[in-house]
Amino acid sequence: MTDSVEVPAPVRAPDAAATRAGSAGTRAPTPARRDVQAMRALAVGGVVLNHLWPGWLTGGYVGVDVFFVISGYLISLHLLRELADTGRIGLVAFYSRRARRLLPAALLVVVVSLVAMVLFVPSTVWDRNVGEAIASTLYVENFQLVRLAVDYQAHDEAASAFQHYWSLSVEEQFYLVWPALFLGFVALRRWRRRGNDRSHGLAAVGAGVGVIVLASGVAAVVQTAASPTAAYFLTWTRAWEFGIGALVAVLARSRGGRPVLSTSSAGALAVGGWLLMAGAMVVFDGRTAVPGAPALVPVLGAAAVLVAGESRLRAPLDPITSVRPVQFLGDISYSVYLWHWPLLVLLPYAVGSHGLAARLAVLALTLLLAWLTRRYVEQAAQRSGFLKAGRLRSLASTAVAMAVVVGLASGVSVESARRADAVRADLISAVTHGVCVGAGALERECGDPYQRPLIAPVSDVDKDFHNVAGCRDDASMVVAGWKPRTDCDFSGGDAKALHVWLVGDSHAQHLVPALAEAGRRHHWKVTSLAIGGCLPIPTKQAPGAIEGRSEDVCPHFGPAVDTAVTRERPDVVIVSVSSKREHIDDGTGRPQVQQYVDALSPVVTAWTRQGSVVLAMTDNPGRTGVLDSTCTNQNLDHLETCSVARSSVVRLGAFERATDTLAGRVRGLARIDLTDHVCDARTCRSVVGGVNVLHDTNHYSAVYSRSLGRFLAQDVLSAVTDHPVR
């Protein structure tokens, strides 16, 4: 994954004449350091195994941190040598070398992945992949993932084939600014001395890098605590890891070729470093606060091995790290990183399986393609006389290649949009005009609900909750920067029309098409008030799946909903939340059911006393691993694979159980349940009546939600009959 410039071995003895014999561009090749190649092997092996078997090597992802340290060390060592030899850094030559080394293989994998996606993946899920392919080509994928992480509708979607380019984006951004920073540090030193100082300024570089390490390290700790997903992907919270590697390079140059440590100290440090890196891969998991303080473990482990290697001594673990298979994996590590992820994401679409055999096939294909790419793409580009003929030729060729790849991806995006429009029309027409489509297929007169052919695979159309005909967003209501209100008027001006409200988190949002369909059928006025990740009642909410939402937005949302309901007094208020994810924290530590009872009681009591009927919606089945969109799209010819026993997924959460407790005390409060229109008596499936039930792992598809509309209307009318409105 990291820059694979030839890794120089420490020189055997100080030799000033040899050190300054030529420029960086004419220096004779030096033998590779086997310990660095072994570190690359460990790092990429950890990442790949973590992705293939995440439950086995839970912290393998810290291989990325190790790569960042290696990159910081190698590039800084190269820049310091050039400064020492010439007193300057040739930026154009530097960027040309980076382009020749890194971009050919990276762009090849983007193109091959796009082609494989078009051949094997349903067109309905191309859109996100295309967006990330473009971001990866332009090396801004890390920022794209930060953006998606705060988009609630994207939060539960399947990973794209280009997601792993986030770390390559961070590295390229590092390469873009690092030489300029070095020049700045040296220029500042020369200015302070006010002389014609040709020194390469190791002290100035070391001090400058130290400041960056400190500032970035503090930012990483603070942002990891506040917003861990953003911290994981952002360049400035990763810069300290590159900086640690750079400090090792400064230390090495400062010794002038002399050993950094004694034999025994270097051996102990190397062993300790390897243990820290390997230990982090075994002990860390998805909850570890990386790149915060815990990341010091693998980062300092990598730095320790690099420092020990500068001592030019045979380390205790050399018999293991120097064996040919380890060195081979280190040699091809960059291409291994590039290929493993798209193969893992795309191969199941081609073979219809993601089991052990498929994962072993991913591993084998990764190694084969990496070896071929290393030999015929990486090395060929570095030897290319055409690319090396002029300093600007590599950069110009790279820019043209990137433009071609972006153009290819844009063409796929246009085709994706065209097909999505056709899918939208087919789905809406089927649900509007067909009785035994979607949820309706579970009615007895419709026969087998699973025999209808799938109208369309899961698509971005399926998550379009808000684009409902007859509805408009109300910009006048703003809660912590959000505009959560949508109004739909199907009353035809009838002042006596029922006014039904839907309030809650994203599990209220995914019911907007259902309620709009109910309103259209019965000429109601419909209003929704929903923000993903937030409870619609005044309470203290525990931190949830969306970083910062429970602290910054949700405390304002609950009171705003309560105020709006109290002011406008709707006839019916449907409350829909996912209490399996949204937890209350009132500071008592009591069971969630009790905390929900106490939080709901004053709110629903006040709403019902003013004349509103309050209906608590039972949460939908989801998060099973087999009902989600990925299973559906990978098993289009065997949809029966995507099914699960109803008893294993239909369970009442704290919200539903609290509602049942309160229903006996509060007149006008009842719980409604649409599960019988999602699952049959024994089974829940990902496709019912030819329509995808979910668009991700736990939210109804917009079309299936619409098909639930007539059943939701029946529940609302029945509740109003039992509890007459005012």
Side-chain angles (χ1 to χ4, degrees), residues 399-443:
V400 170
M402 292 172 72
V404 169
V405 176
V406 169
L408 173 64
S410 300
V412 176
S413 181
V414 170
E415 176 63 13
S416 173
R418 185 191 68 79
R419 296 190 185 191
D421 289 340
V423 167
R424 184 192 304 273
D426 290 344
L427 287 168
I428 291 177
S429 174
V431 172
T432 302
H433 303 294
V435 175
C436 296
V437 176
L442 288 167
E443 296 294 278

Side-chain angles (χ1 to χ4, degrees), residues 129-140:
N129 277 274
V130 168
E132 292 193 34
I134 293 174
S136 298
T137 301
L138 300 177
Y139 287 97
V140 292

Side-chain angles (χ1 to χ4, degrees), residues 5 41 67 95 109 126 128 138 161 169 183 195 204 207 220 232 292 357 433 471 514 621 635 663 678 689 714:
V5 293
F67 274 130
Y95 295 133
V109 174
W126 290 356
R128 175 175 175 178
L138 300 177
S169 299
L183 287 174
Y232 193 83
H433 303 294
C471 300
N635 295 278
V678 178
Q714 292 171 7

Side-chain angles (χ1 to χ4, degrees), residues 535-623:
L535 295 174
I537 54 176
T539 188
K540 187 177 188 312
Q541 195 169 329
I546 308 178
E547 295 161 8
R549 185 78 57 87
S550 58
E551 297 87 354
D552 301 334
V553 179
C554 300
H556 305 283
F557 179 60
V561 172
D562 187 30
T563 298
V565 172
T566 301
R567 181 179 64 245
E568 300 188 39
R569 302 178 63 183
D571 300 311
V572 179
V573 180
I574 302 172
V575 184
S576 182
V577 301
S578 178
S579 61
K580 301 179 184 72
R581 299 186 78 183
E582 268 68 86
H583 294 168
I584 295 175
D585 182 9
D586 63 7
T588 65
R590 295 175 301 158
Q592 280 295 296
V593 175
Q594 295 178 21
Q595 295 191 53
Y596 262 96
V597 167
D598 287 352
L600 284 168
S601 182
V603 177
V604 298
T605 298
W607 292 354
T608 55
R609 283 180 178 172
Q610 73 181 15
S612 300
V613 175
V614 179
L615 303 178
M617 176 63 68
T618 303
D619 200 13
N620 62 292
R623 299 192 180 281

Side-chain angles (χ1 to χ4, degrees), residues 2 43 147 190 217 249 289 291 338 359 442 444 481 489 507 509 528 621 624 721:
T2 57
R147 185 187 70 80
R190 291 174 180 171
L338 286 173
R359 290 175 185 270
L442 288 167
R444 185 174 301 173
D489 190 348
H507 284 221
Q509 290 175 325
S528 72
T624 65
T721 300

Side-chain angles (χ1 to χ4, degrees), residues 326-509:
V326 172
Q327 293 297 302
F328 173 73
L329 184 57
D331 290 343
I332 65 172
S333 59
Y334 177 57
S335 288
V336 167
Y337 185 84
L338 286 173
W339 282 112
H340 86 281
W341 185 256
L343 285 171
L344 181 61
V345 172
L346 298 175
L347 191 64
Y349 289 99
V351 302
S353 170
H354 54 269
L356 177 61
R359 290 175 185 270
L360 291 175
V362 166
L363 189 57
L365 281 172
T366 294
L367 294 174
L368 174 61
L369 291 173
W371 173 73
L372 292 171
T373 304
R374 168 69 176 166
R375 181 169 183 177
Y376 296 108
V377 178
E378 293 183 53
Q379 293 178 332
Q382 292 179 77
R383 293 192 300 262
S384 170
F386 172 80
L387 293 178
K388 295 169 69 175
R391 291 185 174 183
L392 292 175
R393 185 170 291 181
S394 292
L395 296 178
S397 301
T398 295
V400 170
M402 292 172 72
V404 169
V405 176
V406 169
L408 173 64
S410 300
V412 176
S413 181
V414 170
E415 176 63 13
S416 173
R418 185 191 68 79
R419 296 190 185 191
D421 289 340
V423 167
R424 184 192 304 273
D426 290 344
L427 287 168
I428 291 177
S429 174
V431 172
T432 302
H433 303 294
V435 175
C436 296
V437 176
L442 288 167
E443 296 294 278
R444 185 174 301 173
E445 62 270 18
C446 289
D448 189 341
Y450 310 119
Q451 287 303 308
R452 289 186 61 87
L454 179 65
I455 298 170
V458 180
S459 71
D460 287 339
V461 173
D462 287 322
K463 67 178 181 183
D464 198 358
F465 304 143
H466 307 288
N467 187 18
V468 178
C471 300
R472 60 178 181 82
D473 293 335
D474 184 349
S476 66
M477 183 177 185
V478 181
V479 178
W482 290 72
K483 298 175 182 177
R485 179 164 178 162
T486 300
D487 292 300
C488 319
D489 190 348
F490 303 103
S491 68
D494 182 0
K496 296 182 179 180
L498 204 65
H499 195 176
V500 182
W501 280 35
L502 172 64
V503 301
D505 57 11
S506 64
H507 284 221
Q509 290 175 325

